[in-house]
């Protein structure tokens, strides 16, 4: 029997974990739910190494996010046979991937996140329910009274009530179930006058999802998988806006849309210590093997590993034929078939630098992803439902072409900062990449506060952004920051007997909340 918690956090991704930590640190009882059997979302079950801003090593994250990053590095230093030069690096990049200064294996992030939650579970403040998904919610008088969860292992249902409910799901599922006002897909240009918005609203125009997968490469071996059921379709599929077949090494440059060749050379001889993971200087996405590499064999003592491990989250396996929100089963099945087809194509038909074809030595790594086939446990969902919030962040607040290099909206109720390009992947409405330069931005508390509902808060990608600005507010450190603020805000409202709308609207109440957050900046 689970006692009624003060705060129910639905969704165990990065935002959900950060929310639970913040609420527990404030002394509140919390139930955290997660649809898969791994907490961590993007970092773990979705197998997406962190996309972060260029200054992440110096500033621009919360203290607990920095604790997570350093915990991952410490894990490698303690347990892996690193070369002495690598072990000594304060900014160790375990995978030497180019997408991030901290590319790493999903299981390592899982271990560190579990460790961060462990004291609160031992103290009885936190209950974690994995393999549970929300299926219903009851609301009354602008208050969410309860949420019904289904145990995915045996189908049983349990209904939980809490004084505050946080939606940290990947799709903003509670916004739908509880009847909370929200947006889906692309808003019309008339709504916010965003230059890159379409003339008409398109709710089904959502960024594509990706089912990532992990592989290593073993020359001379044959790990070719069975031919996927939809391989013939994907082998011949050529999008109108693509320079060639999707299963190929030609793809648009996200920023210019010009056709650019990608390269694929497993286990290159380059010393991984020479990799500079700085996307502001070089996007790094043209060399597929090294882009999202999560284990670099040459960082370790000779013979410890016979191959690197890399994650496929590439132009080749973005799926956009059906929107995920509203058609989840169909889109997930299609995305899985696409990723399996990409793997099979790489193993059997992909052109090699030596003039041959196919890399049969590519070995799927289910041990890395925690699945039977080496595909990630869950799809990487870039775009959620988005709450109709007190404050909506638009292109006019962050796009460098509109605000200038030193511009951007400054908010009186800022609760964090972030930076990333406005990065929208090809969408289900037929849009190519929309990749726009942005400025460092603030996270307004008003983007976390609903216009009507009094006890539900967004705690992930479902904050008050638009289809366009979701493209820069959706990444790992910002999602963590949003979740942490949501958990802290719910705890503060309970302690002070106030509501989120009051904290956001009244300067004195906001300043008191901000002061308390500053005093709790470092974990106990």
């Amino acid at each position: 029997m689970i006692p009624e918690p003060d705060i129910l956090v639905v969704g165990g991704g990065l935002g959900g974990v950060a929310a639970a930590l913040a609420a527990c640190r404030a002394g509140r009882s919390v139930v955290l739910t997660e649809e898969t059997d791994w907490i961590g979302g993007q970092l773990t079950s979705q197998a997406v190494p962190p996309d972060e801003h260029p200054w992440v090593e110096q500033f621009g994250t919360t203290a607990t996010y920095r604790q997570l990053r350093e915990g991952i590095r410490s894990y490698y230093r303690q347990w892996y046979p690193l070369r002495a030069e690598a072990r000594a690096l304060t900014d160790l990049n375990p995978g030497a991937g180019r997408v991030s200064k901290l590319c790493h294996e999903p299981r390592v992030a899982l271990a560190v996140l579990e460790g961060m939650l462990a004291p609160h579970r031992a103290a009885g403040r936190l209950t974690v329910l994995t393999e549970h998904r929300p299926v219903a919610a009851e609301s009354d008088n602008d208050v969410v009274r309860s949420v019904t969860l289904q145990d995915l292992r045996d189908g049983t249902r349990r209904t939980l009530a809490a004084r505050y409910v946080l939606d940290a799901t990947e799709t903003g599922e509670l916004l739908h179930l509880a009847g909370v006002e929200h947006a889906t897909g692309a808003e019309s240009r008339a709504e916010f006058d965003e230059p890159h918005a379409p003339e008409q609203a398109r709710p089904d125009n959502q960024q594509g999802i990706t089912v990532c997968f992990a592989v290593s490469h073993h020359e001379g071996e044959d790990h070719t998988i069975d031919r996927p059921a939809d391989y013939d379709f994907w082998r011949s599929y050529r999008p109108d806006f693509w320079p060639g077949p999707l299963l190929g090494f030609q793809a648009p440059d996200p920023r210019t849309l010009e056709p650019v060749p990608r390269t694929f050379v497993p286990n290159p001889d380059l010393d991984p210590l020479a990799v500079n993971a700085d996307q502001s200087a070089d996007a790094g996405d043209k060399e597929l093997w090294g882009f999202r590499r999560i284990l670099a064999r040459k960082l370790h003592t000779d013979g410890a590993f016979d191959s690197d491990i890399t994650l496929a989250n590439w132009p080749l396996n973005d799926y956009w034929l059906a929107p995920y929100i509203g058609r989840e089963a169909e889109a997930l099945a299609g995305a899985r078939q696409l990723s399996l087809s990409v793997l099979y194509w790489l193993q059997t038909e992909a052109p090699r630098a030596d003039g041959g074809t196919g890399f049969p030595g590519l070995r799927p790594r289910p041990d890395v992803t925690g699945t039977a086939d080496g595909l990630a446990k869950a799809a990487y969902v870039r775009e959620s439902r988005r709450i109709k919030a007190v404050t909506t962040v638009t292109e006019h607040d962050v796009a460098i072409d509109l605000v200038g290099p030193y511009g951007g909206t400054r908010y009186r109720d800022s609760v964090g900062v972030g930076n990333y390009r406005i990065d929208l992947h090809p969408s289900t409405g037929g849009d190519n990449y929309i990749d726009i330069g942005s400025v460092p931005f603030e996270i307004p508390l008003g983007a976390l506060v609903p216009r009507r509902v009094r006890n539900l808060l967004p705690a992930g990608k479902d904050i008050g952004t638009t289809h366009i600005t979701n493209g820069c507010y959706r990444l790992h450190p910002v999602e963590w920051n949003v979740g942490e603020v949501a958990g802290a805000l719910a705890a503060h409202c309970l302690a002070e007997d106030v509501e989120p709308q009051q904290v956001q609207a009244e300067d004195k109440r906001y300043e008191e909340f901000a002061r308390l957050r500053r005093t709790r900046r470092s974990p106990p």
Side-chain angles (χ1 to χ4, degrees):
M1 185 70 179
I2 299 172
E4 180 178 307
D6 296 325
I7 299 169
L8 171 62
V9 182
V10 181
L14 287 176
V17 172
L21 278 169
C24 287
R25 286 171 55 204
R28 292 295 164 178
S29 60
V30 177
V31 169
L32 172 67
T33 76
E34 163 55 30
E35 191 166 338
T36 73
D37 59 347
W38 282 7
I39 61 170
Q42 293 189 66
L43 277 188
T44 61
S45 61
Q46 297 169 34
V48 184
D51 290 289
E52 299 170 322
H53 57 76
W55 309 285
V56 68
E57 299 296 337
Q58 289 78 39
F59 56 84
T61 72
T62 72
T64 52
Y65 187 76
R66 196 165 301 282
Q67 182 191 26
L68 167 62
R69 296 178 88 255
E70 291 310 308
I72 289 169
R73 285 176 169 145
S74 295
Y75 191 100
Y76 279 95
R77 293 190 187 102
Q78 181 172 0
W79 298 112
Y80 279 64
L82 290 163
R83 290 163 46 191
E85 309 97 296
R87 188 181 306 279
L89 291 173
T90 57
D91 57 349
L92 172 67
N93 186 352
R98 296 181 185 276
V99 72
S100 167
K101 298 177 187 296
L102 188 66
C103 290
H104 54 82
E105 297 156 85
R107 284 187 184 274
V108 174
L110 176 65
V112 175
L113 289 168
E114 291 279 10
M116 294 172 76
L117 294 180
H120 303 292
R121 298 176 81 168
R125 286 186 294 272
L126 175 64
T127 300
V128 179
L129 301 177
T130 56
E131 296 183 87
H132 279 71
R133 68 181 301 265
V135 292
E138 181 184 356
S139 300
D140 176 52
N141 195 29
D142 298 338
V143 172
V144 178
R145 300 296 180 185
S146 65
V147 176
T148 299
L149 303 161
Q150 183 174 22
D151 188 328
L152 299 179
R153 293 160 295 197
D154 60 17
T156 58
R157 296 189 174 194
R158 52 162 52 106
T159 298
L160 294 179
R163 295 172 68 185
Y164 272 85
V165 176
L166 275 53
D167 186 344
T169 63
E170 297 299 323
T171 61
E173 185 68 16
L174 284 187
L175 305 183
H176 165 65
L177 294 175
V180 181
E181 292 80 3
H182 63 273
T184 303
E187 294 89 350
S188 70
R189 184 172 301 173
E191 186 165 359
F192 296 108
D193 193 33
E194 293 181 302
H196 287 87
E199 291 296 332
Q200 303 294 325
R202 303 175 68 189
D204 287 338
N205 188 22
Q206 303 161 19
Q207 288 191 69
I209 64 171
T210 304
V211 174
C212 304
F213 59 89
V215 289
S216 51
H217 184 259
H218 310 270
E219 192 67 47
E221 300 179 10
D222 189 346
H223 296 282
T224 305
I225 63 171
D226 293 338
R227 185 184 181 96
D230 293 350
Y231 183 68
D232 289 342
F233 170 81
W234 289 114
R235 185 175 181 272
S236 62
Y237 177 60
R238 181 168 181 163
D240 294 340
F241 52 84
W242 218 252
L246 184 63
L247 300 192
F249 290 144
Q250 283 269 344
D253 181 286
R255 302 180 186 183
T256 68
L257 303 185
E258 293 297 319
V260 176
R262 268 64 173 177
T263 61
F264 185 74
V265 180
N267 294 325
D269 288 331
L270 175 71
D271 186 343
L273 291 179
V275 171
N276 178 26
D278 184 352
Q279 290 199 53
S280 66
D282 177 7
D285 60 343
K286 306 306 185 288
E287 196 277 288
L288 296 178
W289 182 267
F291 185 46
R292 295 185 185 273
R293 181 171 54 182
I294 56 172
L295 186 141
R297 71 196 189 287
K298 286 179 173 286
L299 276 187
H300 301 275
T301 55
D302 289 344
F305 301 99
D306 60 355
S307 174
D308 299 342
I309 302 173
T310 196
L311 282 169
N313 179 8
W314 305 326
L316 287 70
N317 61 326
D318 278 1
Y319 175 86
W320 56 70
L321 295 190
Y324 188 69
I325 295 172
R327 295 164 64 180
E328 288 87 352
E330 175 189 353
L332 180 59
R336 287 178 56 84
Q337 276 293 305
L338 171 56
S339 287
L340 289 171
S341 295
V342 168
L343 174 57
Y344 185 77
W345 177 80
L346 288 170
Q347 291 173 323
T348 60
E349 298 190 68
R352 300 174 60 116
D354 62 9
T357 56
F359 298 84
L362 285 176
R363 175 185 162 198
R365 295 299 298 265
D367 54 321
V368 171
T369 58
T371 59
D373 52 16
L375 301 184
K377 289 176 177 287
Y380 176 30
V381 181
R382 295 179 174 87
E383 185 173 341
S384 173
R385 297 175 178 89
R386 302 178 301 279
I387 198 165
K388 294 287 187 178
V390 169
T391 303
T392 301
V393 179
T394 76
E395 191 176 345
H396 295 280
D397 297 310
V398 296
I400 195 168
D401 288 347
L402 300 180
V403 304
Y406 304 105
T409 300
R410 299 293 177 260
Y411 299 96
R412 53 161 284 279
D413 61 343
S414 174
V415 288
V417 297
N419 181 241
Y420 205 76
R421 292 177 65 85
I422 299 175
D423 173 17
L424 278 73
H425 284 231
S427 71
T428 56
D431 293 337
N432 205 333
Y433 291 97
I434 298 175
D435 195 303
I436 311 163
S438 67
V439 294
F441 51 79
E442 295 181 351
I443 305 168
L445 184 61
L448 281 71
V449 176
R451 297 176 185 174
R452 176 182 61 84
V453 178
R454 295 154 51 198
N455 75 327
L456 180 143
L457 297 171
K461 294 187 289 287
D462 51 345
I463 61 171
T465 58
T466 65
H467 173 71
I468 301 296
T469 56
N470 162 266
C472 61
Y473 276 74
R474 65 179 171 83
L475 283 308
H476 301 64
V478 174
E479 181 185 350
W480 181 278
N481 193 324
V482 166
E484 185 173 309
V485 171
L489 179 59
H492 177 71
C493 288
L494 288 171
E496 298 297 319
D497 194 24
V498 295
E499 294 186 349
Q501 289 82 356
Q502 294 173 281
V503 176
Q504 190 276 331
E506 301 174 25
D507 288 347
K508 186 175 180 180
R509 293 190 188 278
Y510 163 72
E511 290 297 335
E512 176 62 14
F513 173 60
R515 184 188 66 78
L516 287 172
R517 282 201 70 227
R518 287 192 293 269
T519 61
R520 292 190 178 127
R521 194 168 282 171
S522 297

